[in-house]
Amino acid sequence: MNVPNEAVIRINGLFKRYGSVNAVNGISLKIGKGEVFGLLGPNGAGKTTTLECLEGIRRADGGILEIGGCDPQSDERSLRHILGVQLQSSSLPEGLRPAEAMSLICAWHGLPDRLDLLDRFGLTDQNRKQYRELSEGQKRRLHLALALACNPSAVILDEPTAGLDVQGRAQLHDAIRELKNSGVTVLLATHDMAEAETLCDRVAIMIKGRIAVVGSPAQVTASGNPDVRILLSTKNGCLQPGMNTGNARFLRQTDNYGVWLSADAASAVMELLKYVQAFSDTVEDLRVERPSLEERFLELVEGGTRR
Amino acid sequence: MKIFFKAFPRHLLLQFKMDIRERGTLLTYYLLPLVFYFIVGSVFVSINPASKQTLAFSMAIFAVTMGAVLGMPVPIVKMREAEVLRAYRVCGIPGFATLLVHAVSAFLHLLIVSVIILTTAPIVFGAGIPDSYAACFAVLVIVLFCNIAIGLLIGVTAKNQSTATLLAQAVFLPTVMLGGIMFPATMLPGALRTAGYIIPSTHAVRSFSGLAFGMNMESGAVLSLLILAGIGAAAAIVAALRFKAVSRA
């Protein structure tokens, strides 16, 4: 996906400093309508600070921010009607019930109660429970439901699936896809690379307050080490550990599999199969794995190759 | 502004309910002050029958001080620590409204408990009846305002729950010991009696005695009421400024 024409979220030269540390160092981004954008990075990269500046709860030291035509740094009141936010860590009063929380938030938005959102996130059955009695996953789902109460045009989700079980995670992923389909822009910060790869149209990897790379998950992955991994297991183990071919470099032996790296997967596979045939051996399993977003991420973060 | 006037009463009603669901709040707003009132009413009055005259308002002052100074700050700090204010803020609930809702809810709870004490004391323990119910209510409102403002100030100033508890105790204990609630301030040594003049409960006792219960005071009860209102206003302004600064940071 290319850079969008109709940007809902714009960041231009955002700068934020804590004491002598530049937490965010002049980053710029444009996120389009209906786009799911993933902000990735190790702890301390500046993701949450960036999001908090966009959410209007942290003052930026420099740069221009805009969400749906509204400046989050100076017009918080308007911002709250167009931006839904799920914070990384937050809570509600312990005695508050889900329906009461929804009613309260809707009242402050001047809207009728959105109990349908509680239903959508499987919280209707929990209406008798107080916040303190909800599980971590239920709390996360409640915060997401509350973030959507104002029918926002953009949503910021800071590690929304942290602490969720598989079912909760799947529900949340479905909800994000639904948001995208209804034209809502989603800015998602996550440590889960598989989640980013599956959900996001584009991702940016932040390192030490700067954006190291931005693009679709496929583009970001392809921008790194191009080598694919070839895993081959034969019946008689004819391929000796350490054996290289013209296009395949031996990497390691894992269980019954030999692992090779190659920039030209097709030629390398052909060469390896020729060896197997020459030794009258039989192929038990053959896999070709492209580098994942996680590997590209680690490559960028660790400043080297990790395969 | 229209949304504020529609949402605020709803928020207030919810907060009032949540306060009742919260065991700690229920204890400091209702249970402890009422138990203490019944013990004092039963024991002190038989030891010193003259204390009947001041029992109703002194126990009301005790209940208000206990609820506002001991009961209010910790939930406010807890709310800050648990990032409830941030969660509310990103969902469109202004921070000051959350604080105001807490204060008004506390006001209503403590008004209820004070009214229970003021109305039952004459019936159950033969305590003095106000000369003027209107004046009694007016003084009670000012006493509530002053103590709630102090509670708010502690709540927004304390860095954590243990600091809030310490600060609350540091305000509460002198209030009870030196303010003339447990025994007349005239029984205190000179220095402590002078120190008592900076304590709101001293002025609360004077205001109730002079303006609502028709007792002769050595100095102006109106002045005491003005001092109470002044302390409350100052505490409320400092609390608001402090809260604004914390929210911005």
Side-chain angles (χ1 to χ4, degrees):
Chain A
M1 189 165 177
N2 293 323
V3 179
N5 291 326
E6 194 188 343
V8 173
I9 300 177
R10 286 173 199 269
I11 304 173
N12 195 358
L14 174 63
F15 192 86
K16 177 69 190 177
R17 173 187 280 265
Y18 297 121
S20 60
V21 179
N22 292 338
V24 181
N25 210 344
I27 68 165
S28 297
L29 281 173
K30 279 183 186 175
I31 305 170
K33 185 174 163 42
E35 186 178 10
V36 179
F37 191 94
L39 197 56
L40 316 176
N43 290 332
K47 303 186 299 291
T48 297
T49 300
T50 302
L51 298 187
E52 286 179 345
C53 290
L54 280 170
E55 289 156 2
I57 55 176
R58 199 169 287 284
R59 289 243 163 262
D61 292 328
I64 298 166
L65 299 172
E66 197 183 296
I67 297 182
C70 164
D71 179 355
Q73 298 282 300
S74 63
D75 190 5
E76 195 177 333
R77 194 175 293 180
S78 305
L79 181 75
R80 297 292 164 233
H81 296 292
I82 53 171
L83 178 70
V85 176
Q86 184 186 18
L87 295 167
Q88 187 180 9
S89 67
S90 65
S91 183
L92 289 173
E94 300 207 317
L96 196 62
R97 295 186 170 125
E100 291 172 340
M102 182 56 78
S103 163
L104 180 65
I105 303 301
C106 288
W108 279 104
H109 282 297
L111 295 169
D113 290 0
R114 297 281 321 271
L115 297 178
D116 58 304
L117 286 170
L118 296 180
D119 195 30
R120 182 167 154 193
F121 290 102
L123 291 163
T124 311
D125 295 344
Q126 313 302 325
N127 262 343
R128 296 305 303 162
K129 283 188 181 170
Q130 294 176 13
Y131 187 76
R132 78 183 103 219
E133 297 166 319
L134 298 176
S135 69
E136 198 52 44
Q138 288 165 341
K139 284 178 183 172
R140 289 236 155 225
R141 297 206 306 268
L142 175 60
H143 283 284
L144 181 61
L146 297 177
L148 302 180
C150 65
N151 296 316
S153 54
V155 179
I156 294 178
L157 308 174
D158 198 352
E159 295 182 30
T161 51
L164 286 188
D165 59 15
V166 178
Q167 195 189 0
R169 194 173 283 243
Q171 273 179 343
L172 194 118
H173 288 177
D174 287 344
I176 292 174
R177 285 190 194 99
E178 273 179 49
L179 287 173
K180 176 186 165 58
N181 292 338
S182 55
V184 175
T185 302
V186 179
L187 174 52
L188 171 78
T190 180
H191 284 294
D192 186 336
M193 297 299 137
E195 180 174 272
E197 211 159 5
T198 318
L199 286 175
C200 298
D201 299 308
R202 286 192 303 145
V203 296
I205 297 178
M206 268 185 96
I207 298 170
K208 292 178 184 167
R210 293 178 191 275
I211 289 181
V213 62
V214 62
S216 69
Q219 285 170 340
V220 170
T221 306
S223 67
N225 187 337
D227 287 350
V228 294
R229 241 184 335 223
I230 302 163
L231 291 90
L232 180 61
S233 164
T234 63
K235 199 173 178 183
N236 301 325
C238 68
L239 299 170
Q240 295 298 311
M243 190 195 83
N244 292 326
T245 71
N247 284 296
R249 298 189 315 280
F250 182 80
L251 182 66
R252 62 173 174 261
Q253 185 76 25
T254 307
D255 297 328
N256 293 329
Y257 288 88
V259 184
W260 285 264
L261 289 177
S262 175
D264 182 356
S267 308
V269 167
M270 291 301 290
E271 288 165 7
L272 290 168
L273 290 178
K274 269 184 195 169
Y275 273 100
V276 174
Q277 214 170 15
F279 286 103
S280 304
D281 203 348
T282 314
V283 173
E284 278 191 328
D285 192 15
L286 172 67
R287 296 179 203 174
V288 178
E289 291 178 353
R290 303 212 160 271
S292 64
L293 185 61
E294 182 166 333
E295 284 165 335
R296 176 64 178 134
F297 176 83
L298 290 171
E299 191 185 322
L300 281 165
V301 170
E302 293 175 357
T305 308
R306 182 186 170 118
R307 302 304 300 272
Chain B
M1 222 42 192
K2 203 175 156 188
I3 288 179
F4 180 88
F5 286 114
K6 277 190 171 178
F8 190 83
R10 210 151 150 186
H11 195 161
L12 178 60
L13 183 67
L14 262 179
Q15 186 60 49
F16 190 83
K17 279 197 219 167
M18 282 192 288
D19 285 343
I20 291 171
R21 289 174 196 160
E22 204 60 48
R23 207 175 297 163
T25 313
L26 212 55
L27 266 174
T28 48
Y29 282 5
Y30 290 96
L31 200 64
L32 291 177
L34 286 176
V35 166
F36 190 73
Y37 153 62
F38 280 107
I39 291 171
V40 170
S42 311
V43 178
F44 272 50
V45 168
S46 57
I47 294 170
N48 175 20
S51 65
K52 273 185 184 180
Q53 193 63 18
T54 58
L55 176 74
F57 67 78
S58 60
M59 284 300 100
I61 296 168
F62 177 84
V64 169
T65 311
M66 180 171 221
V69 177
L70 282 187
M72 253 184 85
V74 172
I76 292 173
V77 176
K78 224 169 153 181
M79 205 166 66
R80 276 171 35 213
E81 284 180 343
E83 314 248 29
V84 172
L85 287 175
R86 260 160 56 106
Y88 270 0
R89 185 174 167 186
V90 296
C91 285
I93 304 178
F96 78 90
T98 312
L99 213 59
L100 194 61
V101 156
H102 257 270
V104 179
S105 177
F107 182 94
L108 294 175
H109 285 294
L110 298 175
L111 182 67
I112 290 169
V113 83
S114 305
V115 169
I116 291 171
I117 291 170
L118 287 166
T119 52
T120 58
I123 302 163
V124 180
F125 303 111
I129 298 170
D131 278 2
S132 160
Y133 284 98
C136 185
F137 183 75
V139 172
L140 179 60
V141 167
I142 301 290
V143 171
L144 278 164
F145 166 68
C146 178
N147 281 285
I148 286 170
I150 292 169
L152 271 183
L153 182 60
I154 296 170
V156 298
T157 311
K159 280 188 177 161
N160 50 47
Q161 290 182 49
S162 47
T163 312
T165 308
L166 273 175
L167 279 172
Q169 295 282 5
V171 175
F172 179 72
L173 290 176
T175 296
V176 174
M177 301 311 291
L178 308 180
I181 296 175
M182 301 298 294
F183 43 82
T186 46
M187 290 170 73
L188 289 168
L192 289 179
R193 200 173 161 195
T194 309
Y197 282 106
I198 58 163
I199 292 168
S201 59
T202 305
H203 298 286
V205 169
R206 285 169 175 276
S207 301
F208 268 116
S209 311
L211 296 172
F213 284 76
M215 295 159 70
N216 289 328
M217 297 303 299
E218 59 199 59
S219 63
V222 174
L223 179 66
S224 279
L225 193 66
L226 289 174
I227 291 171
L228 268 183
I231 293 172
I237 290 167
V238 177
L241 292 175
R242 174 76 189 146
F243 184 70
K244 200 173 169 184
V246 169
S247 302
R248 271 189 182 167

